[in-house]
Amino acid sequence: MSAHASPVRWNVDDRARGALDIVLETHLVTARMMERGVAPARLGRASTRELYWSVGQMLAHLTSNGCCIEPGDLYGSGTVSGDGDDALGSLLEITRAGQKSIAIPGGEQRTFLEDGDQVIMTGRCVRDGFVPIGFGSCVGLIDPARPD
């Protein structure tokens, strides 16, 4: 092998069995939807299996560059998105940076989050032949900005 690093190549086995399949869903509930008892609107659904780099590859990259990883450390992978319009991972992607509004049940439109909106993210591991493992929900409510 040469002294120069070889280009990263896809490993078929790693892609087939090494990637974690954590299905993430993002839902939106507007203040108006909450008042009317309307169910959350799903914005997107994607899997970490669709990430360009597997979790193992990301950790190898971090540690090979000198990062000291300890048990219990958290790291962020970035936005998890899939290929289809229904698999985009953020409202910014879905609305094309605010250039295209989306319809919300009840006649509302959104390009960006607004005061009173609630974002719900859920995640669960799935694999054929195994019982899914859920991680619960992460819920955020958009409060109005505080006056100076």
Side-chain angles (χ1 to χ4, degrees):
M1 184 174 202
S2 73
H4 299 287
S6 63
V8 175
R9 295 201 172 106
W10 287 94
N11 181 296
V12 175
D13 188 53
D14 182 52
R15 297 311 301 170
R17 291 190 289 272
L20 296 175
D21 194 5
I22 303 173
V23 176
L24 303 169
E25 289 191 5
T26 306
H27 292 83
L28 175 66
V29 184
T30 68
R32 190 166 148 195
M33 290 169 70
M34 282 185 249
E35 290 170 3
R36 296 179 175 178
V38 175
R42 186 168 83 185
L43 297 177
R45 181 177 195 268
S47 171
T48 57
R49 184 174 286 285
E50 299 173 61
L51 291 171
Y52 186 78
W53 302 103
S54 71
V55 171
Q57 289 170 325
M58 286 187 259
L59 290 174
H61 177 76
L62 287 170
T63 57
S64 69
N65 283 298
C67 184
C68 181
I69 303 291
E70 299 289 336
D73 283 353
L74 298 176
Y75 82 100
S77 65
T79 303
V80 178
S81 295
D83 289 332
D85 285 344
D86 62 341
L88 297 176
S90 75
L91 196 55
L92 194 62
E93 289 178 344
I94 295 166
T95 65
R96 307 293 190 250
Q99 295 179 12
K100 175 185 140 191
S101 66
I102 59 169
I104 304 294
E108 294 181 83
Q109 299 280 320
R110 282 291 184 279
T111 49
F112 298 102
L113 294 175
E114 296 181 8
D115 292 347
D117 286 350
Q118 188 177 72
V119 177
I120 305 165
M121 295 182 74
T122 59
R124 59 187 225 151
C125 284
V126 294
R127 186 172 180 186
D128 290 340
F130 294 87
V131 175
I133 300 171
F135 299 116
S137 299
C138 177
V139 181
L141 179 65
I142 308 301
D143 285 333
R146 295 182 200 175
D148 290 339

